[in-house]
Amino acid sequence: MSFTVEPCNQETVIVRIGKALDFRNAAEFKSTCQTQVRSGARNFILDFSETGILDSTGLGSIFSLYRQVSPLEGQVVFAAVSRPVQVVVQLTRTYKVFRQFPSVEAAEEALL
Amino acid sequence: MESVKQRFCELSTLVAGVHQIFDQLCGDSGGYACLDEDTFYRAKLAAHEWAANLVQHASFDNRKPEVDVDVWPNGNKIECVFEDNSDGFDLDSILEQRSNGLSPLPERGMGLLMLSACTSELSYEKTEGGIYRLRFSVHSEADPWLNIPF
């Protein structure tokens, strides 16, 4: 499993989550995001359009990213949230922390 | 509808296998004909969290792992049973600790709480045969939530 990262500009990147963000690839997600932060990114658009599972470890890795970019006045936002991911968002009430957008394009417009 | 059951003897195949069971359940029902979509995903998430817990934390001593999974729809709920030959653990104590001790925006420790929040009639016990059995139901009417400190 791997994540696709697309730069929008120097400060904003889109991370395509793919089929799953869970305990099997959460470390890879963290490493990928840390590399982006070191390169100057502070805004992250997470594309969940293809995602069938987001588990507790995956969510924990997103919390970790949020803690990393918050002091930089960065943002982590969710885009094109699939139904399985929405179930987790509602269960954990993380909509209070992460803004959601219906599409990646809508998230880009809001952040740029 | 009949249950979907499978035995796993390799932990490396457990999580993907559990997902396949739910996919099969979904396929057999013609989509979500007899189950609403959110109930299905909550049940799949709960089963995933338990499988992930077994893979990451369970001790099997020197025994070859054996995990039996059985899932079936039952009216407005989904029922699930996991049986395994691990050493087991005190689920109630862990749940109590986690309920009282999560740090803000926690990176770890949410899995069993998410399992508990998604499910009702959750039980975990050692059987007379010495295996551990987790049984839970996920109801369509339930309104689950997990109080994560932000």
Side-chain angles (χ1 to χ4, degrees):
Chain A
M1 284 185 253
S2 61
F3 306 98
T4 305
V5 179
E6 294 175 27
C8 293
N9 58 32
Q10 277 191 323
E11 295 187 337
T12 304
V13 295
I14 303 161
V15 183
R16 313 274 185 195
I17 299 299
K19 299 288 184 192
L21 177 53
D22 63 18
F23 75 101
R24 295 169 294 180
N25 62 355
E28 182 188 350
F29 173 81
K30 282 180 65 178
S31 172
T32 298
C33 292
Q34 280 169 357
T35 300
Q36 293 300 317
V37 170
R38 279 196 290 268
S39 299
R42 62 186 177 95
N43 297 322
F44 287 77
I45 299 168
L46 307 185
D47 174 7
F48 286 109
S49 57
E50 303 293 325
T51 309
I53 189 80
L54 170 65
D55 76 359
S56 58
T57 310
L59 185 60
S61 68
I62 297 173
F63 286 164
S64 175
L65 173 62
Y66 175 81
R67 287 198 303 265
Q68 203 171 357
V69 299
S70 287
L72 309 173
E73 298 185 354
Q75 296 185 63
V76 179
V77 303
F78 289 9
V81 176
S82 63
R83 197 65 215 171
V85 173
Q86 191 64 34
V87 163
V88 176
V89 167
Q90 289 172 352
L91 171 73
T92 56
R93 303 188 184 198
T94 40
Y95 50 78
K96 293 195 285 187
V97 180
F98 304 111
R99 283 199 291 166
Q100 291 190 52
F101 296 93
S103 65
V104 168
E105 292 73 21
E108 283 183 85
E109 272 186 37
L111 291 180
L112 293 179
Chain B
M1 184 190 307
E2 292 185 1
S3 69
V4 181
K5 55 179 76 175
Q6 193 168 341
R7 167 168 286 195
F8 300 91
C9 297
E10 297 289 342
L11 290 179
S12 60
T13 65
L14 180 59
V15 171
V18 166
H19 289 198
Q20 282 178 357
I21 287 174
F22 277 86
D23 292 344
Q24 188 178 339
L25 198 71
C26 175
D28 286 350
S29 68
Y32 306 96
C34 64
L35 306 165
D36 75 86
E37 195 177 12
D38 282 5
T39 305
F40 176 84
Y41 286 130
R42 285 201 306 272
K44 185 176 181 180
L45 176 66
H48 172 100
E49 290 292 350
W50 187 253
N53 187 69
L54 285 170
V55 171
Q56 295 178 99
H57 305 300
S59 169
F60 290 87
D61 204 357
N62 289 319
R63 297 180 296 278
K64 185 174 178 60
E66 290 181 358
V67 182
D68 289 301
V69 185
D70 191 0
V71 185
W72 67 99
N74 179 11
N76 61 353
K77 60 186 177 182
I78 298 175
E79 314 242 28
C80 186
V81 173
F82 278 74
E83 293 182 341
D84 70 74
N85 63 338
S86 72
D87 292 339
F89 68 108
D90 189 342
L91 176 59
D92 291 338
S93 294
I94 298 289
L95 283 175
E96 190 176 343
Q97 283 174 21
R98 295 278 197 274
S99 298
N100 299 321
L102 273 188
S103 58
L105 295 166
E107 191 168 345
R108 304 291 293 186
M110 292 182 286
L112 294 176
L113 289 175
M114 284 171 67
L115 166 68
S116 177
C118 285
T119 59
S120 50
E121 299 158 23
L122 176 67
S123 66
Y124 181 60
E125 60 188 3
K126 190 175 186 178
T127 67
E128 289 182 0
I131 61 171
Y132 281 88
R133 177 184 295 136
L134 179 89
R135 180 172 184 142
F136 63 79
S137 301
V138 176
H139 287 252
S140 60
E141 290 95 352
D143 181 20
W145 59 275
L146 180 64
N147 192 20
I148 295 178
F150 295 117

